[in-house]
Amino acid sequence: MSEAHTDAWLQWPFLEPGHRELAADLRNWCREQPVPDPDADALATCRHWVRALGQAGWLRYCVPAGPGGVLGGMFPQLDVRSLCILRETLAQHHALADFAFAMQGLGSGAIALAGSPAQQQAYLPAVAQGHSIAAFALSEPEAGSDVAALACRAQADGPDYVLNGRKTWISNGGLADFYCVFARTGQAGADGISAFIVEAGTPGLVIESQIEVMSPHPLATLRFEDCRVPAAQRLGEVGQGFKLAMRTLDVFRTSVAAAAVGFARRALAEGLAHARQRRLFGKTLAEFQLTQAALGDAATEIDQSALLTYRAAWVRDVQQRASTLETAMAKMAATESAQRVIDRMLQLFGAQGVVHGHILERLYRDIRALRIYEGATEIQKLIISRALLRPARTG
Ligand code: COS
């Protein structure tokens, strides 16, 4: 792809000059980073990326300006457009670099949104420096898509809460220094849920098992057995945990869409380079109309996804309103279309594309979970249709 087209999206009106500088600086930084050994342990690779991203200052974009963030006067709150640029760029470089960045944000997002000044000060600067690793513990064996059904219990007991239950599919499980845990403090349903910060090593917090997935990253099932946390570790008001989880996801789901755009862009760049040089039947692959159709479809789908993604980020950053509808559209469209783009580009490589370690084989595995985590495509459809059917929420 021509450099001009590759960078054209940076001129879109959703972005500001600071975003263009961020994209250029980050791209230069990525070029200098060695790609880790694909067979290295995922936990060690994630630790490496958190350290590297922290040292370089990129993790400061995960937290608001006050407690250790970088955004200062320009963006005092979490800037979703910056998060998206970071994830899109990191995803093009290495899936675990993107994962490590994303989890620092998602894992600490509830503290950024609802933490007291003392909680923000205690956790966010260390997250921004890469000295502390964060995790978001929402899903349970019987409550993945249906968050309001979660059963992990937090029972008030004197000055403490006592947690009992299980959490699963927890990214950074076993690696994190702290977990933002959503647990039931009241009646059934969404209103009975509160959030807590639970530090790794708290007695009663057990890492039950690591889960191995097709694109390896730290992922675990946690068990709480009479795990006692002081009431000062509660995040936000009693009963507001469900809404806090949803508000956190509204921010970070948009960035999932951006990561999908990044994976798709990398696939297209690889496909283009290959099509230009691969010769068969006396001409290059690029000279076949079928190849041109695949490239045309891929480039169009990527721009559609990127437009939806940066629109959702802009709605929240600039219009300063809930982007639930726009975020759901972006998350669904970008992850689904990235899967198609990567599949088409893999096809251009023929058998080479499925060889273990080939960049397309890796991208093919890396993209799959994005259509499921942080709200499966089917849940995004539900969110979109509900937003259409009822009056818009404000704030
Ligand atoms: N921001 C703020 N508040 C929100 C919100 C949002 N994005 N979404 C819902 N709420 C509020 C609702 O307005 C409602 O408030 P009131 O009771 O005051 O009216 C309350 O939260 C309950 O909402 P709702 O009735 O829509 O909840 P449901 O249980 O029907 O379902 C879905 C909500 C399906 C959208 C939710 O469970 C979901 O997002 N599931 C996917 C979970 C997920 O992403 N899992 C992955 C975990 S991280 S890997």
Side-chain angles (χ1 to χ4, degrees):
M1 194 166 351
S2 71
E3 278 284 309
H5 184 78
T6 312
D7 287 343
W9 65 276
L10 284 167
Q11 305 305 321
W12 287 348
F14 300 125
L15 301 177
E16 298 175 30
H19 294 118
R20 294 184 253 286
E21 281 164 35
L22 168 64
D25 291 349
L26 180 62
R27 198 179 301 166
N28 289 336
W29 182 81
C30 284
R31 283 195 188 114
E32 291 162 10
Q33 303 306 304
V35 174
D37 175 357
D39 295 320
D41 171 60
L43 264 74
T45 307
C46 282
R47 264 200 204 95
H48 155 79
W49 280 122
V50 171
R51 227 181 359 250
L53 290 162
Q55 270 169 11
W58 303 122
L59 294 178
R60 288 180 295 162
Y61 287 89
C62 288
V63 307
V70 72
L71 308 169
M74 187 177 167
F75 305 120
Q77 299 303 316
L78 279 174
D79 182 65
V80 185
R81 293 164 299 169
S82 298
L83 290 174
C84 288
I85 288 170
L86 275 142
R87 289 202 64 183
E88 181 177 328
T89 310
L90 291 171
Q92 287 179 63
H93 182 66
H94 194 262
L96 286 179
D98 166 59
F99 171 86
F101 175 83
M103 288 308 131
Q104 288 298 88
L106 179 66
S108 67
I111 304 178
L113 292 176
S116 66
Q119 288 170 333
Q120 295 194 344
Q121 204 47 50
Y123 292 97
L124 298 184
V127 167
Q129 289 153 14
H131 295 160
S132 181
I133 297 183
F136 182 74
L138 181 65
S139 299
E140 298 184 4
E142 302 301 328
S145 291
D146 185 4
V147 174
L150 68 80
C152 179
R153 213 162 171 97
Q155 184 72 46
D157 184 29
D160 302 326
Y161 281 88
V162 180
L163 274 68
N164 279 290
R166 287 166 86 214
K167 292 282 166 188
T168 193
W169 313 117
I170 307 308
S171 289
N172 276 347
L175 179 67
D177 294 294
F178 68 88
Y179 299 81
C180 287
V181 180
F182 296 82
R184 187 161 299 286
T185 47
Q187 74 278 18
D191 289 347
I193 296 169
S194 305
F196 300 87
I197 309 168
V198 183
E199 297 192 358
T202 304
L205 167 53
V206 180
I207 309 303
E208 192 173 279
S209 58
Q210 289 290 335
I211 306 167
E212 293 198 10
V213 284
M214 63 198 285
S215 171
H217 62 267
L219 191 70
T221 298
L222 317 180
R223 199 170 65 245
F224 295 91
E225 289 175 347
D226 291 332
C227 178
R228 189 170 282 275
V229 294
Q233 294 295 88
R234 199 188 65 230
L235 258 177
E237 297 301 314
V238 176
Q240 293 298 306
F242 180 91
K243 287 181 185 168
L244 178 55
M246 293 301 121
R247 284 166 56 215
T248 308
L249 287 168
D250 274 353
V251 174
F252 290 96
R253 272 180 188 152
T254 312
S255 78
V256 177
V261 171
F263 288 140
R265 280 198 201 283
R266 176 70 188 266
L268 177 57
E270 297 288 341
L272 278 166
H274 179 68
R276 284 193 181 109
Q277 58 81 27
R278 170 85 168 126
R279 294 193 69 80
L280 69 172
F281 302 108
K283 47 187 174 179
T284 64
L285 196 54
E287 289 172 83
F288 288 90
Q289 286 193 341
L290 282 172
T291 307
Q292 293 164 12
L295 296 171
D297 286 343
T300 305
E301 289 207 50
I302 290 172
D303 272 10
Q304 285 170 342
S305 298
L307 281 162
L308 284 173
T309 301
Y310 287 96
R311 191 243 332 224
W314 172 85
V315 160
R316 196 191 135 88
D317 291 345
V318 178
Q319 294 197 317
Q320 300 197 339
R321 63 175 173 86
S323 63
T324 310
L325 168 73
E326 292 84 357
T327 291
M329 287 180 173
K331 205 266 182 188
M332 172 174 78
T335 57
E336 292 290 329
S337 77
Q339 184 90 64
R340 289 192 294 273
V341 168
I342 291 167
D343 187 54
R344 275 194 210 107
M345 294 302 107
L346 189 154
Q347 192 75 9
L348 293 184
F349 283 85
Q352 271 185 56
V354 294
V355 173
H356 177 64
H358 190 278
I359 178 68
L360 264 302
E361 179 266 348
R362 221 182 62 201
L363 290 166
Y364 191 82
R365 290 184 289 108
D366 291 338
I367 188 60
R368 188 62 184 86
L370 276 66
R371 293 166 55 203
I372 300 170
Y373 72 53
E374 291 187 45
T377 291
E378 292 72 13
I379 293 295
Q380 305 313 321
K381 290 185 183 180
L382 201 81
I383 294 172
I384 295 163
S385 62
R386 283 185 184 188
L388 295 175
L389 291 166
R390 76 177 164 223
R393 189 177 14 251
T394 51

